[in-house]
Amino acid sequence: MTSLLKAWLLDPLALLFLFSLILSVVFLAGRRGRRSRGESGSGTSRRKRGSRRSLWPIMLIWVVAFLVFSAPVIVNPLIATLEDPFLSEPECGPGSHLVLLGGGVDSRVVDASEYGRMGNATLTRATAAARVALAEPDTRLIVAGGAVGRIAEAEVIASYLQRLGVNAERMVKEADSATTRENALNVAVLLQAESIEGPVRLVTSAMHMPRALLSFRQVLADTNIDVCPVSVDVQALKNVPWYAVMPQTTAIMRSEMLLHEAVALLIYRLKGWL
């Protein structure tokens, strides 16, 4: 509880929320005070009273919306609904291939060795894939991620994996895709040119896994290639206390990721890509 209070007091979003509530209460109290000093039976007073009443639903909607996108106790369970289904699946069995999907690299990268330009999701995914690859010397890696700037994401990730000790000869780079759909289409071509044994393990963030896995399974539906999820970079916090209702910047950042993924899932479904 103490750490949560410290987070509230030091979080600018939480302070902004409190300040907004205080201003709203002061504003409504001031309107009520002015009304009580006026003539209670006048038409002007009735209009003011009606105006004040009409503000309450607006304030309530605003507060609820604010909390849905920024309160840890609400945001985390919403994220979990997207992440948990594939986290609970049985662990993948051994296989000959690992597919690693990039999660973003700064467009200002000018050299594949600039690992610091990788986004947090990319770094987490690549590190997890490296652990598997180093533990399984015979496993082949397909690294997928196109270019936003001058250097393809796959190039940066592959360079990072080499730095961790993964032999370059074990890696195949798919550097032409810009979306998850293109990841699936381009990697499917590469996989069908490989000799596959066991399930192909797909490594990506837990929140991204539903869209990624369903995309790969649809693209590979007419083959005998089985794709198995390896979810990393889990965002949902478990056992969030009920009193964690105060908005936090970290929660609203996670809700932005959730909103992005929810919209992308909807678009993919409408286009028939899942």
Side-chain angles (χ1 to χ4, degrees):
M1 183 66 177
T2 303
S3 60
L4 199 59
L5 286 172
K6 288 181 180 178
W8 291 347
L9 294 174
L10 296 176
D11 193 307
L13 185 67
L15 294 176
L16 177 62
F17 182 67
L18 279 174
F19 184 62
S20 300
L21 285 180
I22 292 170
L23 283 181
S24 299
V25 171
V26 170
F27 174 73
L28 290 173
R31 289 180 65 89
R32 184 175 183 179
R34 289 193 297 272
R35 182 187 63 81
S36 63
R37 290 193 296 270
E39 295 181 8
S40 59
S42 68
T44 300
S45 179
R46 284 194 297 271
R47 284 194 298 271
K48 287 183 178 180
R49 187 162 57 248
S51 176
R52 193 184 83 255
R53 288 198 190 104
S54 67
L55 284 174
W56 282 107
I58 296 172
M59 281 187 60
L60 181 61
I61 293 171
W62 174 80
V63 169
V64 170
F66 205 114
L67 292 177
V68 164
F69 287 107
S70 61
V73 73
I74 298 175
V75 172
N76 285 286
L78 288 175
I79 293 175
T81 61
L82 201 60
E83 293 184 333
D84 286 357
F86 297 114
L87 290 174
S88 60
E89 283 199 2
E91 187 174 345
C92 296
S96 59
H97 285 70
L98 196 71
V99 175
L100 168 60
L101 303 184
V105 170
D106 195 315
S107 61
R108 293 171 293 181
V109 63
V110 294
D111 189 274
S113 64
E114 293 183 76
Y115 317 129
R117 297 290 190 183
M118 291 191 295
N120 289 334
T122 302
L123 180 63
T124 304
R125 298 175 192 182
T127 304
R131 290 196 192 100
V132 176
L134 293 173
E136 302 176 6
D138 295 327
T139 298
R140 296 263 293 166
L141 280 79
I142 297 179
V143 184
V148 177
R150 293 169 55 185
I151 305 295
E153 189 175 9
E155 296 286 349
V156 180
I157 297 171
S159 180
Y160 173 69
L161 292 173
Q162 284 183 259
R163 183 74 175 181
L164 294 181
V166 181
N167 194 312
E169 294 179 357
R170 299 171 56 192
M171 289 186 275
V172 179
K173 289 173 281 191
E174 187 287 293
D176 297 321
S177 57
T179 66
T180 301
R181 171 71 174 179
E182 291 178 3
N183 284 157
L185 292 170
N186 295 342
V187 170
V189 174
L190 296 174
L191 286 173
Q192 292 178 71
E194 297 270 324
S195 177
I196 307 294
E197 294 180 9
V200 171
R201 287 163 289 178
L202 179 66
V203 181
T204 191
S205 299
M207 199 184 302
H208 181 232
M209 185 58 78
R211 181 160 56 103
L213 184 63
L214 293 174
S215 294
F216 271 78
R217 284 180 173 172
Q218 190 211 54
V219 169
L220 293 167
D222 295 330
T223 72
N224 60 355
I225 299 174
D226 178 36
V227 185
C228 181
V230 178
S231 298
V232 299
D233 187 32
V234 178
Q235 293 294 320
L237 301 176
K238 304 298 182 183
N239 303 316
V240 178
W242 63 267
Y243 48 79
V245 294
M246 185 61 71
Q248 291 187 10
T249 303
T250 52
I252 204 167
M253 290 171 63
R254 288 192 180 97
S255 69
E256 188 274 334
M257 296 167 61
L258 175 62
L259 183 62
H260 167 86
E261 197 56 43
V263 170
L265 271 169
L266 176 61
I267 292 172
Y268 272 48
R269 290 191 183 281
L270 291 175
K271 290 187 174 183
W273 291 348
L274 299 178

